[in-house]
Amino acid sequence: MAAALLFTACGGGSGEDVASRFSSCSVTAGIADASAEPVGEPNIIIGAFVGWDESTAAAHLMKNILATNGYDAQVKTLDVRAGFSATANGEIDVIPDVWLPTTHSSYIDRYGSRMDPLGCWYDNAQLTIAVNSSSPARSIADLATMGGAYDNTLVGIEPGAGETSVVINRVIPEYGLADLTFRSSSTADMLGSLQQATDDQRNIAVTLWRPHWAYTEFDIRDLEDPKGAMGGEEGIWNFATKGFGDSAPKAAQMFTNLILPDAGLAELEYLMVQRYDRADPDGAVVEWLSAHPDFADRLVAGTLGE
């Protein structure tokens, strides 16, 4: 199977090893025509991280396209830690939302020897701290002296998220933010707090990431990160349980062929979150594909990068 030969398996080791192996994201690396590949095992479970909308978007998009190519694909939503563990243990076949080289490096250190990378499908991801545009802070460093303007609180997401670890272990100590309350609960809580602050016209600081539909829904901007503590630009990768390329060759190559540019991903996320209120991601995918009628065929053919 073509895709399996293009990526070396991830062993254990240090975070520096992960950063070295996955510091470059080429969305066209490994793409090839999957149409002649054998289907193999027809039952596939795709993992989606709870609260990560790009994860839901990619998982349900691939579920739809796999279903028209001989597979019975299902999506299972679970938190980040459980998603990596389940994929390493073979309970999940593929997770299409692995951020490298920084955000999920600790999980690849722990579970990478039992997983195979299947390509990078988005090359401009970034962890951020965002504030309402009218508020005073311009840099993350400003929060050390302007915390009072933000109720001395930084609103985070799930405790097990890679971004939460980055904020606790890098951002807070490097910028001297120990006096702020870092409230880590859930992505839903963070977005609800952002909505409430917007309604109340109050300042707020939240951990966020790009790509995310919130940047089109709210009047927010990113704080500058002069120390690079948030990790800079990252790629979003597909990772599969070990041996997936041998058991389902066509599906593995299809995951490798996936490429979603900014505009397409933002449109799909917006449909899922705003129009379908997160209640029917499959319906949102059907509508999105109807507006992009050649996407599925081009994915299978490996021509999305042309």
Side-chain angles (χ1 to χ4, degrees):
M1 200 280 292
L5 301 177
L6 290 168
F7 302 100
T8 57
C10 304
S14 68
E16 287 77 16
D17 291 337
V18 172
S20 175
R21 288 196 300 271
F22 298 103
S23 60
S24 177
C25 165
S26 170
V27 296
T28 59
I31 63 173
D33 189 353
S35 57
E37 294 284 354
V39 170
E41 168 57 49
N43 299 306
I44 294 177
I45 301 176
I46 307 169
F49 297 149
V50 61
W52 291 59
D53 291 313
E54 80 283 349
S55 183
T56 302
H60 284 271
L61 177 62
M62 290 304 297
K63 172 189 173 183
N64 180 293
I65 300 174
L66 286 166
T68 62
N69 283 272
Y71 294 96
D72 179 10
Q74 303 296 324
V75 175
K76 183 175 181 178
T77 301
L78 61 180
D79 68 31
V80 175
R81 184 182 292 111
F84 278 95
S85 174
T87 305
N89 292 333
E91 301 160 19
I92 297 288
D93 293 299
V94 183
I95 42 174
D97 197 27
V98 180
W99 287 46
L100 294 171
T102 302
T103 305
H104 292 139
S105 62
S106 63
Y107 290 110
I108 296 302
D109 270 340
R110 181 172 182 179
Y111 298 110
S113 62
R114 290 182 283 157
M115 301 169 68
D116 291 328
L118 292 179
C120 177
W121 58 267
Y122 185 87
D123 61 3
N124 193 33
Q126 189 171 6
L127 299 180
T128 62
I129 291 181
V131 297
N132 53 298
S133 295
S134 60
S135 66
R138 297 292 163 182
S139 164
I140 298 174
D142 291 336
L143 294 177
T145 56
M146 297 180 180
Y150 300 89
D151 197 26
N152 290 308
T153 299
L154 174 61
V155 183
I157 55 173
E158 287 76 12
E163 182 169 31
T164 300
S165 176
V166 168
V167 171
I168 292 173
N169 296 316
R170 295 178 58 176
V171 176
I172 290 175
E174 289 188 30
Y175 283 105
L177 305 182
D179 289 340
L180 291 183
T181 296
F182 179 43
R183 194 175 84 216
S184 176
S185 176
S186 68
T187 300
D189 174 69
M190 179 273 291
L191 292 170
S193 297
L194 183 56
Q195 180 67 67
Q196 191 62 56
T198 299
D199 293 343
D200 296 342
Q201 297 184 352
R202 290 185 289 103
N203 295 331
I204 189 169
V206 302
T207 63
L208 202 53
W209 60 92
R210 292 179 181 271
H212 200 286
W213 57 269
Y215 285 99
T216 59
E217 181 69 12
F218 300 102
D219 184 15
I220 55 177
R221 56 179 168 79
D222 295 336
L223 293 180
E224 296 173 5
D225 180 16
K227 295 180 182 291
M230 297 296 288
E233 187 178 281
E234 298 197 73
I236 304 180
W237 295 71
N238 300 300
F239 268 73
T241 191
K242 195 77 172 174
F244 179 73
D246 294 326
S247 64
K250 185 173 186 177
Q253 186 62 59
M254 287 170 63
F255 275 101
T256 301
N257 290 353
L258 175 64
I259 301 173
L260 270 176
D262 278 313
L265 180 56
E267 181 186 356
L268 180 53
E269 284 189 17
Y270 182 84
L271 283 173
M272 286 185 171
V273 175
Q274 300 300 105
R275 185 171 299 182
Y276 287 82
D277 196 28
R278 291 197 174 91
D280 185 12
D282 292 317
V285 167
V286 170
E287 181 172 338
W288 189 87
L289 286 172
S290 70
H292 303 272
D294 63 341
F295 183 89
D297 290 340
R298 291 183 63 200
L299 183 146
V300 176
T303 62
L304 287 176
E306 296 178 358

